[in-house]
Every structure is written in C-alpha cells, then in structure tokens.
Amino acid sequence: RKRAIPEDETAFASPLLECESESRMSEVRHHLLFSALYHRSHPLEPLSESGISTRCHVRVPDEATLLSLEVGYRKPAWAEPGTVLDLNISVLTENGERSLLQEEIRVMPRQSAIRQQPFPRFDLDLSPWAGQQIELEFESQIHGSIRNHGGDLRGFAAIYRDARIQARPDGARP
C-alpha cells in the first residue's frame, strides 16, 4: 500500500514572539505544537469589566499576509446566563487603528457542556501592511459573571491559539 503524499510545508511567522501587556494576567505560552496568548482570570483576580489588552510587535512579511488563528476560552465552573466574551484584534500603526476581528462568544460553564467546543479559526488579511512593522492588539472583555472553583489554579481564560502569519489560509501546519 502506498503512503499518502505529504502536504507541502506552509512557511509562517509567529506574531506572539514580542508581546507586552500592562496586566500580569496576560501570558504567551509556547506549547509543543503551537503558541497561544492567554488572558486569564484567577479566583483572587477575576477579569475586570475593562478587560485585558496585549500588544505584539510584528513585521508583516511581503509574501505571507494572512493572520490565521483560533479564538476561544477555557471553561469556567459557573457562568451567569447571558455571559459573553468579547474578543477583538486590531492593527495599530502610526496612521491609526483598524479592527480586524470583533467576535462575541457566549460563555458556557463546564457543567452545561463538559467537552470543550472547537475553537473557530479566522484568516485575517494583513496585506495592507505587507513589508511593514505593526502592532497587533488583542483585547478580551467579559460581560456578565463567571466563577471558578478555589482549587482551579488555571481559571477561566480567553485564548488566542495557533496564531501564525502565513501565505495560505486555514492554519496548515508544517
């Protein structure tokens, strides 16, 4: 039996290498297969209504102009009915700010949906900034109320996962 022909590698650049935030609850983690930006809460430090913002310095390559990423959240133990998480991604340049994504996600607690829902993937166009240095701003804001168990040290988190700047859509892995 013949082995399937592997897909060509998709070259990419990580937009999460040079990030900064005023909140200590913002964290970039480099996992084995992907990197992720977490905007976390903790029982002693819940997400504030003003939200969390993280800015990442990125040079957009000439040949790869799609920001491909998944967005979602880590489930809380309890969520007030109607609680939503607003996730926003904007480009900041010397000429101003332009929104790339505004996503509102209904927050479901662990008891209502035990399995983690798949994160939706977005392919955002960065071609107007090809060859330029920009700042990507990731903002997370909760509207409603959530709670975690006291022993849950991971807590609730908005997650921007597997972010990559590449030429092809859909986050194809190398």
Side-chain angles (χ1 to χ4, degrees):
R1 206 163 96 162
K2 267 187 155 178
R3 187 192 288 187
I5 298 171
E7 289 185 24
D8 292 335
E9 274 192 23
T10 300
F12 70 92
S14 174
L16 300 179
L17 294 178
E18 293 182 46
C19 298
E20 54 193 34
S21 177
E22 292 181 5
S23 172
R24 60 186 200 93
M25 300 309 282
S26 173
E27 175 184 21
V28 173
R29 286 195 200 147
H30 302 287
H31 302 284
L32 181 62
L33 296 177
F34 62 89
S35 293
L37 169 63
Y38 296 89
H39 286 170
R40 301 178 292 123
S41 72
H42 186 273
L44 301 176
E45 195 169 334
L47 274 177
S48 69
E49 289 237 354
S50 61
I52 296 176
S53 173
T54 301
R55 291 184 177 187
C56 300
H57 305 278
V58 177
R59 185 188 177 288
V60 180
D62 291 320
E63 66 285 348
T65 59
L66 282 177
L67 171 61
S68 183
L69 77 163
E70 298 172 345
V71 297
Y73 62 92
R74 188 180 307 129
K75 290 180 182 266
W78 176 87
E80 176 182 43
T83 297
V84 294
L85 176 64
D86 283 337
L87 302 173
N88 299 294
I89 302 173
S90 301
V91 171
L92 307 175
T93 65
E94 295 172 353
N95 300 330
E97 178 178 344
R98 183 164 143 204
S99 177
L100 295 177
L101 176 71
Q102 294 181 338
E103 186 70 9
E104 182 179 273
I105 302 173
R106 194 175 104 195
V107 177
M108 299 294 295
R110 249 177 277 167
Q111 308 94 295
S112 299
I114 298 187
R115 298 181 72 202
Q116 182 71 48
Q117 272 70 27
F119 287 13
R121 177 163 286 281
F122 295 91
D123 292 311
L124 310 174
D125 184 20
L126 297 178
S127 61
W129 303 280
Q132 297 179 39
Q133 186 77 26
I134 61 169
E135 276 189 330
L136 288 172
E137 182 173 46
F138 299 88
E139 296 177 286
S140 306
Q141 194 171 18
I142 191 89
H143 300 284
S145 182
I146 56 168
R147 267 187 258 144
N148 287 303
H149 298 294
D152 183 1
L153 299 179
R154 292 185 342 154
F156 174 80
I159 304 171
Y160 302 86
R161 182 170 73 186
D162 196 22
R164 44 184 61 227
I165 298 174
Q166 60 190 26
R168 293 192 319 202
D170 297 328
R173 296 190 185 283

